[in-house]
Amino acid sequence: MSAFDQLVDKVMDRFLGRSEAAAAVTAASFPQHTEKGMRVREGGMVTWVEPPPEFTATSNQTAGLWPFCVGTSSPLVGAVLGRNLLNSSVVCGDPISLFLHGIISSPSGFILGLNGRGKSSVAVRMALALIDQGFLILVAGDLKPDFAGVVLETNGQVVQVAPGVGAINPLDAGPLWRELERLPAPMQRQMRAEIHSRRLMTLTGLIELVFKEPLDAKKQEQTVLSMAIAMAAEKAEAEDRQPLVGDVVAAIKSAPPQIQSALLIEDSKEYLPQVKNLLAGLNALGEHGPFGDVFCQQTTKEMKIDTSVDFDISLIDESQLTLRAAVQTVCWSYGQAGISAAKTLADAGLMEERHHLMIMDELWQSLRASELLVHQIDSITRLNRDQGPGAADDYALDEGPAVVHGRADENRYWFRGTLIREDPRRTRAERDGPAGNSLPRLRAGEGDAGRLVSRGFDEPQHQPSVTAPGAGPVHAENRVRARCAVPGEPHSR
């Protein structure tokens, strides 16, 4: 044993509180154990240990090797997702767990990738892990459906929305409506203002989806709509029900003096031309409009706030892109109302506090129908830290407009599926940042190296031909820890 080894042993003995006598007893118990192996027959002892080669170089020449020649593993925080394709270590992560541990600053994640590369599989894994920890999941618009089975198997609620199947009222105040009288007066006023704002935002989004353009500010259409919603809500509340789109139409057609005054109308003949375009948009939400009977009647099945909920809209045909986007918009708003109700009642001490993971599935379909919806999506997901829900956005890279890039860059945790290097719709960070230089060169459709979606935690049958980060279908990254590639796994419904 060299003098350096003896010095290290003494330092460690003193640090660990081991006495020299105890060390001597231990050494005496195993006299055959030496630094060159076991001194026994066939013990593998060697007579000469060759020292490793040593080199001297500048820091520029050894960049990447010194001082961090060996990396550390990723933190075992969050849902177990699979194995790292480079070193087979376990990969974990979900937006809520990472936020609670202070690893990311906002509980939001963005799932990005080509079709069939495991986006929904990753979301299902996160959902199951969080449900097991006591969280609730809210799938605001399940188009395939990928999550209905998970919700049902965990004693959740599935709400079907489609023409002739189930309706959802865009002016529904949500589960909080029946509990308003139990709240303190200041909290009641705050919640009524929030309900009115949500109703206005939802109805505005639907009308803009019909016209494919924003409301006319010169005609004060949003002001008229806000006043009409308030009048319709007051009338409906007196009748112990939720207001409907038809009530808003009736309020505008009645030409109330307060609306005419807000429009600075002196002659009543000027009123109808001023609101005609707005009425046309509201009529499109009626039974004979392009959306059928989905938005013109009371909500068929009220959302529960003490269990996981899945809004199943898979019965809407894929060709009805605008209807799908409209239903998704209302489901997002209604789901947000349910989360707000749970938080408000918990703050008032009327129920146990629960937290949600809100999954916004297939964002590309809504954004393809109308780029104006990106602002509504942004307003919903910005409430993550205030109202408690985490958010996981599911977006297919090969569909949809580039307006999603700004939304993606705001997320603190990304899951990227196998990407095409030359795709011009990459996120801004991938195109411009230094991380873009290390993206995989894998193209879609290069055999098993581009899929690896069936093994989960089983040991791989063979190694992928491309070993760069991202070679598997899912590439997890946050702004704190290094990137790693994890295999997805199909799930059954």
Side-chain angles (χ1 to χ4, degrees):
M1 181 178 292
S2 65
F4 178 76
D5 292 334
Q6 294 177 0
L7 177 61
V8 171
D9 287 344
K10 290 182 179 180
V11 172
M12 293 303 297
D13 289 343
R14 180 173 299 180
F15 177 73
L16 298 175
R18 298 183 302 201
S19 64
E20 295 184 3
V25 171
T26 303
S29 302
F30 302 96
Q32 69 274 24
H33 181 69
T34 69
E35 67 272 15
K36 296 182 180 180
M38 298 294 293
R39 193 189 300 271
V40 295
R41 181 180 178 83
E42 298 181 356
M45 181 179 176
V46 295
T47 58
W48 168 254
V49 178
E50 183 178 357
E54 298 182 7
F55 302 92
T56 302
T58 65
S59 58
N60 286 337
Q61 293 172 310
T62 58
L65 297 177
W66 183 90
F68 306 111
C69 60
V70 179
T72 58
S73 62
S74 302
L76 299 179
V77 175
V80 180
L81 301 177
R83 291 192 181 276
N84 190 305
L85 295 182
L86 302 182
N87 55 27
S88 297
S89 63
V90 177
V91 177
C92 301
D94 63 75
I96 293 182
S97 299
L98 293 172
F99 173 71
L100 293 177
H101 283 77
I103 299 177
I104 58 177
S105 59
S106 176
S108 60
F110 197 84
I111 304 176
L112 180 71
L114 299 174
N115 291 333
R117 292 304 191 271
K119 298 187 299 297
S120 297
S121 299
V122 172
V124 166
R125 279 181 175 263
M126 291 191 293
L128 287 172
L130 290 171
I131 291 174
D132 185 60
Q133 298 175 37
F135 293 91
L136 303 177
I137 68 169
L138 172 62
V139 186
D142 194 356
L143 286 95
K144 294 183 180 178
D146 288 318
F147 305 93
V150 174
V151 171
L152 286 176
E153 291 296 329
T154 54
N155 299 320
Q157 177 191 29
V158 175
V159 179
Q160 288 189 321
V161 181
V165 177
I168 182 168
N169 180 10
L171 299 176
D172 197 319
L176 186 62
W177 178 62
R178 301 186 184 278
E179 307 292 338
L180 277 175
E181 299 301 327
R182 301 174 59 190
L183 300 177
M187 191 173 289
Q188 279 193 41
R189 291 192 295 269
Q190 179 185 353
M191 289 300 101
R192 288 183 185 277
E194 181 182 311
I195 289 171
H196 176 78
S197 176
R198 187 180 299 113
R199 285 168 170 169
L200 177 61
M201 180 181 67
T202 305
L203 212 52
T204 299
L206 290 176
I207 297 174
E208 291 177 345
L209 190 59
V210 171
F211 289 144
K212 300 293 191 295
E213 62 181 16
L215 296 183
D216 194 341
K218 295 181 179 180
K219 293 184 178 181
Q220 303 186 63
E221 289 182 339
Q222 195 162 32
T223 301
V224 174
L225 185 61
S226 177
M227 298 178 70
I229 290 175
M231 295 176 188
E234 183 179 356
K235 177 184 176 183
E237 189 172 343
E239 300 174 359
D240 193 29
R241 62 177 179 85
Q242 301 273 17
L244 296 170
V245 175
D247 298 325
V248 179
V249 173
I252 297 176
K253 285 184 176 181
S254 65
Q258 52 268 47
I259 294 183
Q260 294 193 44
S261 176
L263 294 176
L264 305 178
I265 290 178
E266 299 179 356
D267 187 352
S268 58
K269 295 181 180 180
E270 301 176 3
Y271 177 75
L272 185 58
Q274 192 85 348
V275 300
K276 188 175 182 179
N277 187 64
L278 184 59
L279 287 173
L282 291 170
N283 286 335
L285 305 179
E287 182 178 0
H288 301 290
F291 304 136
D293 60 352
V294 176
F295 302 130
C296 62
Q297 53 184 320
Q298 297 290 356
T299 302
T300 306
K301 192 174 183 180
E302 184 175 322
M303 169 188 174
K304 297 179 180 179
I305 60 177
D306 58 351
T307 185
S308 297
V309 180
D310 176 86
F311 288 94
D312 180 3
I313 61 175
S314 60
L315 296 179
I316 302 176
D317 191 83
E318 294 182 2
S319 62
Q320 296 178 295
L321 188 62
T322 303
L323 175 57
R324 280 193 165 199
V327 173
Q328 277 185 303
T329 300
V330 180
C331 288
W332 293 338
S333 178
Y334 188 53
Q336 183 187 1
I339 294 174
S340 178
K343 182 179 185 301
T344 302
L345 294 175
D347 291 343
L350 300 177
M351 69 172 291
E352 180 185 358
E353 185 177 18
R354 303 296 296 271
H355 295 284
H356 294 73
L357 173 71
M358 185 174 181
I359 300 175
M360 304 172 71
D361 190 26
E362 301 289 352
L363 283 183
W364 69 267
Q365 297 204 21
S366 298
L367 296 174
R368 191 178 184 184
S370 174
E371 295 187 9
L372 296 172
L373 291 179
V374 73
H375 303 295
Q376 183 168 356
I377 297 170
D378 183 62
S379 65
I380 292 174
T381 53
R382 282 181 184 274
L383 297 176
N384 292 341
R385 297 185 65 176
D386 298 331
Q387 293 192 356
D393 306 333
D394 189 343
Y395 183 80
L397 179 67
D398 58 345
E399 301 283 358
V403 71
V404 75
H405 291 156
R407 172 73 193 102
D409 288 339
E410 292 172 1
N411 284 272
R412 311 315 299 170
Y413 199 44
W414 294 351
F415 295 85
R416 294 199 293 269
T418 305
L419 306 178
I420 303 174
R421 186 178 182 85
E422 294 80 6
D423 199 308
R425 290 165 292 186
R426 284 187 178 278
T427 58
R428 189 180 303 112
E430 292 175 334
R431 294 194 308 270
D432 303 336
N437 298 329
S438 62
L439 290 173
R441 293 180 173 82
L442 184 67
R443 292 175 178 270
E446 291 187 359
D448 291 339
R451 290 191 59 85
L452 291 177
V453 296
S454 62
R455 292 193 291 273
F457 270 96
D458 297 334
E459 291 299 327
Q461 301 294 327
H462 58 274
Q463 294 297 325
S465 59
V466 180
T467 58
V474 180
H475 181 84
E477 175 191 355
N478 62 53
R479 306 303 172 88
V480 178
R481 64 178 179 174
R483 290 189 297 264
C484 54
V486 298
E489 181 178 77
H491 55 278
S492 59
R493 299 194 293 271

